[in-house]
């Protein structure tokens, strides 16, 4: 059973400036729910009710969101608007939340290592809330948990992207094992088209074994002077300990304006058709 899910949420969100100057990008709403709430709902639906969040400066709104606001609750108790708080109340009731701060934004790998204190020595999920996933029919993290239950290993979610976009992602070189599962042999962070081993790109969902922390500690800083999770996972891939899952569903890169707009349109259409 994997009960903990880590949310690295300390990044600056420079692709979305100026909106993210004072507001965490994870709090930007798709319709009326912030991105990170969709992520926590996915974690809970996948059996993970210990939510561990790596925050940073200017991210206080995330902690406030997953807490009770007594004045507000008092104001709307018993009114028609009370229903609007149903989804967040449900998460607060069912999950526990813990936080730690990343003091210097030294990359996703560094953010995950910062989360060690909240995770300890057990396998855990990682959700990047700005990659909003809609699993079909089950949540993407839940699809990954099912694979982990059959084959305990580090598991990364992947999707096919156009070759013109590989430079934005970690890209894998892997052996197809069938049913959407791949054994990862090599991984490259943000390669040029010439250097890319293919077009299977890593997106923001991982299941990691706790040994990743030691590997991260001994990994050198990579692209852009940041500690890259891709580099650490590559060490484990070389030992045959990394699987990739081509999940069923959609993903929206809500860290970019176009992905954010696509997600908004998708969820609005869904709402209208319900
Ligand atoms: P991104 O690559 O999207 O970086 O991080 P970013 O800084 O948030 O956004 P841009 O590229 O400047 O627009 C992927 C995830 O890793 C987290 C981010 O919060 C995001 O969820 N992250 C990244 C950290 O927590 N710490 C870091 O040092 C870097």
């Amino acid at each position: 059973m994997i009960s903990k899910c880590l949310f690295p949420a300390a990044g600056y969100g420079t692709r979305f400036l100026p909106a993210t100057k004072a507001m965490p990008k994870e709090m930007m709403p798709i319709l009326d729910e912030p991105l990170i709430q969709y992520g926590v709902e996915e974690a809970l639906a996948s059996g993970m009710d210990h939510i561990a969040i790596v925050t940073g400066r200017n991210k206080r709104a995330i902690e406030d969101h997953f807490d009770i606001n007594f004045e507000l609750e008092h104001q709307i108790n018993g009114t028609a608007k009370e229903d609007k708080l149903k989804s967040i109340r449900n998460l607060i009731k069912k999950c526990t939340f813990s936080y730690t701060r990343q003091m210097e934004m030294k990359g996703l790998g560094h953010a995950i290592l910062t989360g060690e204190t909240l995770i300890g020595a057990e396998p855990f999920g990682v959700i990047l809330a700005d990659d909003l996933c809609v699993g079909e029919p089950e949540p993407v993290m839940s699809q990954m948990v099912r694979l982990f239950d059959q084959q305990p290993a580090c598991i990364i979610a992947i999707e096919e992207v156009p070759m013109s976009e590989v430079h934005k992602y970690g890209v894998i070189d892997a052996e197809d094992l069938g049913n959407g599962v791949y054994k990862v042999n090599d991984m490259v962070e943000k390669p040029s088209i010439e250097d890319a081993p293919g077009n299977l790109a890593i997106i923001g969902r991982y299941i990691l074994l706790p040994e990743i922390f030691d590997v991260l500690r001994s990994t050198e800083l990579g692209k852009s002077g940041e500690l890259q999770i891709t580099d650490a996972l590559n060490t484990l891939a070389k030992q045959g300990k990394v699987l990739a899952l081509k999940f069923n569903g959609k993903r929206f890169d809500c860290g970019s304006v176009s992905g954010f707009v696509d997600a908004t349109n998708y969820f609005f259409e869904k709402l209208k058709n319900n």
Side-chain angles (χ1 to χ4, degrees), residues 31-158:
L31 306 191
D32 54 6
E33 255 187 51
L35 282 169
I36 194 158
Q37 186 174 331
Y38 288 92
V40 173
E41 280 164 357
E42 180 181 338
L44 181 62
S46 311
M48 302 171 187
D49 58 1
H50 283 59
I51 307 301
I53 306 182
V54 179
T55 65
R57 285 180 290 283
N58 287 335
K59 301 278 184 168
R60 284 289 296 278
I62 297 177
E63 291 177 50
D64 291 340
H65 186 68
F66 295 110
D67 195 357
I68 290 168
N69 178 337
F70 282 105
E71 269 174 42
L72 176 70
E73 302 270 339
H74 178 72
Q75 277 283 329
I76 71 168
N77 263 355
T79 72
K81 288 188 184 144
E82 202 174 351
D83 226 31
K84 298 284 274 174
L85 287 182
K86 214 163 132 194
S87 61
I88 185 69
R89 278 180 176 166
N90 180 49
L91 293 182
I92 292 172
K93 194 165 110 201
K94 296 195 175 143
C95 300
T96 59
F97 294 86
S98 53
Y99 300 89
T100 190
R101 270 199 187 212
Q102 189 185 14
M103 310 279 180
E104 288 174 280
M105 308 328 159
K106 291 199 256 173
L108 177 57
H110 184 260
I112 291 175
L113 186 54
T114 304
E116 180 181 20
T117 177
L118 305 176
I119 298 295
E122 52 190 282
F124 60 104
V126 176
I127 290 184
L128 306 187
D130 50 346
D131 260 350
L132 178 52
C133 289
V134 183
E136 287 161 359
E138 65 174 321
V140 172
M141 185 54 85
S142 175
Q143 296 174 34
M144 296 169 74
V145 168
R146 270 199 297 116
L147 174 59
F148 181 85
D149 288 343
Q150 290 157 13
Q151 301 185 57
C154 287
I155 296 173
I156 55 183
I158 51 162

Side-chain angles (χ1 to χ4, degrees), residues 160-176:
E160 283 184 48
V161 298
M163 282 308 283
S164 57
E165 305 230 326
V166 287
H167 66 278
K168 298 182 186 164
Y169 297 91
V171 177
I172 63 166
D173 180 15
E175 182 189 333
D176 189 347

Side-chain angles (χ1 to χ4, degrees), residues 112 122-124 148 152-156 172-173 182-187 206-219 228-244:
I112 291 175
E122 52 190 282
F124 60 104
F148 181 85
C154 287
I155 296 173
I156 55 183
I172 63 166
D173 180 15
Y182 293 76
K183 182 164 174 291
V184 181
N185 298 321
D186 196 12
M187 315 165 76
Y206 306 76
I207 288 178
L208 299 176
L209 298 168
E211 63 189 278
I212 194 73
F213 295 125
D214 278 339
V215 178
L216 276 167
R217 258 186 288 278
S218 57
T219 300
Q228 302 288 352
I229 187 65
T230 311
D231 293 341
L233 276 168
N234 205 10
T235 303
L236 294 177
K238 299 259 157 49
Q239 299 165 18
K241 292 179 181 167
V242 182
L243 295 174

